[in-house]
Amino acid sequence: MNARKLHFVLVVALAMVLLPVVFSCSSTKHVPDGKLLLDKVKINVDDKTSGAQSSDLVNYLRQSENHKVLGGLKLQLAFYNLSGKDSSSWFNRWIQRVGTPPVIYDSTLTASSALQLHTALKNKGYMNNVVDYDVVADSAHKKAKVNYNITLGSPYYISSIGYDIANDTLRDIILEDTTGYPVKVGGLFDRNKLDAWRQLITEKLRNHGYYAFNKEYITFTADTAAGSHAIDVTLNTREPYRNERMPYYTSHKPFYVRNVTYVTNYDPVLMQNGYFGADTLTYNNITIMQDADKYLHSNVIDECNYIEPGSLYNAEDVNRTYKALGRLNIVKFINIDIQPVGEFDGKILLDAYVLLSRDKSQSFSVSLEGTNSEGDLGFGLGMDYRHRNVFKGSESLNAKFKMSYESLSGDLSGLINNNYSEYSGELGLNFPKFKFPLLKSDFKKKIQASTELTTSFNYQERPEYTRIIAGAGWRYHWTDRNQQRRHTFNLLDLNYVYLPKSRSHFLDSITNPLLRYSYEDHFIMRMGYNFYLTNKRTNTLLSQNFQRNVYTLRANAETAGNVLYAISSVVGHSRNAVDAYKVFGIRYAQYAKVDADYSITHNFDTRSSLAFHVGAGVAVPYGNSTVLPFEKRFYSGGANSVRGWGVRTLGPGSFNSSNSQNSFIYQCGDIRLDLNLEYRAKLFWVIELGAFIDAGNIWTIRDYEDQPGGVFKFNKFYEQIAMAYGLGLRLDFTYFLLRIDMGMKAHNPVSGQEHWPLFSPKFKRDSEFHFSVGYPF
């Protein structure tokens, strides 16, 4: 999409945003007679320095005003008010679905909100808080304002913590490590933290065999002297309640695992009739029941199982088993059913039933597309095949093939091909376990990683050349159960480019070594590690999913050519004229590269947030290379960088490219820095607004002749940091987000250009439009 089209789209979108504000009628248009619009709600807390802030207490209100954005505009209500009162009109119904109806003041909800606030503050330790409210009703304008006035009073705090635990074993486990407990001496008497404390202790005990223990067996005694706000807290444990399911459980004792049974073809109907499977075998003390089609090998089940017969029950072992089985692509359904069976010889025993059902083994899809490029016709054909259990160990085989062809018309003299054609294939094999020669099975089971082997081949015929690109990879993936921490280790990654045929003097006509490199024969053998960390929760309930602060960290490190260079040095390979080694007649790359991105989003509420991002990276060629491979270099500008510039049009440093056709070739570097600040607000329907400030640039490590002004210097780089500002509109369709951003240059470090366009802006010169999918960070 070109700049003019993007400009038009942005103007139309902005008009949609402003239209309700400009043309909507009174905000009380749809307020019935005799009713009042809840126009404003305010929470006033007498102690601004306390832990009870108005922004947090809003969540306890039973009724709030219509949502505001951009400092006070009720856009959703304004859009709703564009509709008429004729409910048979499709336009009115659509407008009302997009907007939000007026919130009608309800006195009962106001009284209930005051009670909710009082209870919430009491639970936080402010026992003597007082919540009252006043309502300002304006019948003439059909509006009402509600003010909640809160007097916190002196908070109650914890002066000491004691334990009343009769069972010595329980006491030892509970007091083994108290550093992670949320309740501390000197802290507020917060009942929410007391409940979290109970939950943590319960989890700890369940990981030490106490299957039947739950948090209801933990109570607290709170003592305080008259007139004092200091509370002595005592944690108590209670004996088990009478339980008809487990009449033998009369005191807290650990449970032991008696049997572990895997049912690989689970069917609830057959289970009710006592049928588990046609074939039963025992493997490493685990009973496995399968039908005649044994789609999983016994050793695969054993490697996924962490619930050991004869051992103490451990809830974490159950979770680890869930996680390991979840990596099996052939398994569709997983349920672990724990059944207590009674007390024998002084031990309470339980059985574990692991119920599995299988997914479809194979899938196949075909895609076909047609193209018409200025009268030149073409087509594309793609085929995808997947087998989820190729060796009966839930190994996943993925195969892809794609071909495309486009005929050429016009003068073809001097060209070696009369068409554009491309044939590509990918083959991948994924093992749901750690695969490496000579490693013990216990280590493979402990690390819980999956192994991926991939190969790819791409054959391209172009009028100017014929090129072959091939690759292969061997990598490992592992993650925690809630997907908040992920790792990828590339043990081996090969990339090979070969140009067997080209037009006469094709390579000689490319004077830039960076561009020439991407067409010359080259070979990269690299090793790398990727790390991802976030605190974002994935709860489906909105009340649980809201987080005040969400952060994400991505870090990457890779090296290439070191093994080949060591081998070349040891065996005494000869070097060429530029003092470089070759393998298979091709000079291979040698470099080291690290980069990281950190972003944090502060959510003011569920509809507005402020996001900050910082990214940095450095890559160094050495040994067999004097310059990084083109695809490994950094670039700046674009929809996810400094948005006042187009992609690959900024930097390095103060470099000024005079050739607009080939500028992207030169505008890459070895060092990168990105800084971004963005405000995001949900307006109405699927429309969101973004306002941003960006800064950053790239630099080279060496002073290259073709990139003057691009080298990084500590005493000068800060002067070369580019800055931009702008606005954007986003369409959030839940599963994907479309983004249109308009960036304006604020500080331009490019040599020979206006350095501070912020003070003398020219729209045509300083603006840049971007269309992309997803948030920039």
Side-chain angles (χ1 to χ4, degrees), residues 642 645 650 652-654 671-675 694-699 709-724 746-750 755-756:
V642 186
W645 282 260
L650 173 61
S654 61
I671 299 173
R672 116 180 134 92
L673 176 66
D674 281 307
L675 299 165
D694 300 330
N697 206 336
I698 55 173
W699 294 268
V711 68
F712 179 88
K713 296 181 180 179
F714 279 103
N715 61 348
K716 195 174 183 179
F717 83 94
Y718 59 89
E719 299 176 355
Q720 298 172 339
I721 295 177
M723 289 186 286
H747 175 247
N748 187 355
V750 177
H755 287 316
W756 288 100

Side-chain angles (χ1 to χ4, degrees), residues 10 13-14 17 687-689 728-731 738-741:
L10 187 62
L14 283 171
V17 173
I687 298 177
E688 296 184 11
L689 175 72
L729 286 176
R730 294 84 194 272
L731 304 179
L738 299 179
R739 174 165 56 98
I740 302 174
D741 287 335

Side-chain angles (χ1 to χ4, degrees), residues 37-57:
L37 170 71
L38 184 58
D39 188 51
K40 188 175 182 179
V41 176
K42 188 175 181 181
I43 301 176
N44 303 304
V45 182
D46 65 338
D47 186 357
K48 304 297 183 183
T49 63
S50 69
Q53 299 297 317
S54 300
S55 57
D56 296 325
L57 295 174

Side-chain angles (χ1 to χ4, degrees), residues 169 219 224 449 513 685 707 769:
T169 305
T219 62
T224 182
W685 191 33
Q707 296 173 300
F769 287 86

Side-chain angles (χ1 to χ4, degrees), residues 309-482:
S311 65
L312 276 173
Y313 170 81
N314 189 323
E316 182 59 30
D317 288 342
V318 176
N319 291 333
R320 294 175 70 190
T321 303
Y322 266 118
K323 178 184 174 182
L325 293 170
R327 301 203 315 270
L328 302 181
N329 294 309
I330 191 62
V331 175
K332 182 179 181 180
F333 168 84
I334 306 168
N335 183 40
I336 301 178
D337 185 18
I338 305 296
Q339 293 289 341
V341 293
E343 186 173 7
F344 302 91
D345 298 328
K347 287 185 177 181
I348 301 180
L349 305 180
L350 55 79
D351 290 339
Y353 293 92
V354 184
L355 312 176
L356 310 175
S357 63
R358 64 185 298 178
D359 202 350
K360 292 191 301 182
S361 297
Q362 303 179 63
S363 61
F364 181 76
S365 63
V366 178
S367 60
L368 182 65
E369 61 182 16
T371 62
N372 185 343
S373 178
E374 297 182 354
D376 294 333
L377 301 179
F379 71 94
L381 173 67
M383 293 181 289
D384 293 350
Y385 170 76
R386 185 179 186 187
H387 196 303
R388 294 181 176 86
N389 198 30
V390 63
F391 302 127
K392 291 195 174 182
S394 196
E395 301 89 352
S396 179
L397 176 68
N398 299 280
K400 297 181 180 181
F401 173 77
K402 184 177 182 179
M403 66 169 294
S404 57
Y405 176 88
E406 184 177 315
S407 64
L408 295 179
S409 59
D411 185 11
L412 302 177
S413 59
L415 303 179
I416 63 172
N417 293 307
N418 62 358
N419 63 76
Y420 290 100
S421 60
E422 183 173 347
Y423 306 87
S424 63
E426 297 180 23
L427 186 64
L429 185 59
N430 188 286
F431 298 86
K433 56 185 177 181
F434 191 89
K435 299 285 286 185
F436 196 84
L438 305 178
L439 288 180
K440 294 183 178 180
S441 58
D442 289 344
F443 175 81
K444 297 178 182 179
K445 186 173 182 178
K446 180 180 179 180
I447 201 166
Q448 281 203 344
S450 61
T451 306
E452 182 183 8
L453 304 177
T454 60
T455 58
S456 62
F457 182 83
N458 186 280
Y459 178 83
Q460 304 172 350
E461 282 191 353
R462 296 292 186 265
E464 302 86 357
Y465 62 86
T466 298
R467 182 165 62 167
I468 296 173
I469 302 175
W474 182 349
R475 60 186 62 93
Y476 300 100
H477 306 274
W478 65 99
T479 181
D480 60 6
R481 180 172 173 81
N482 55 14

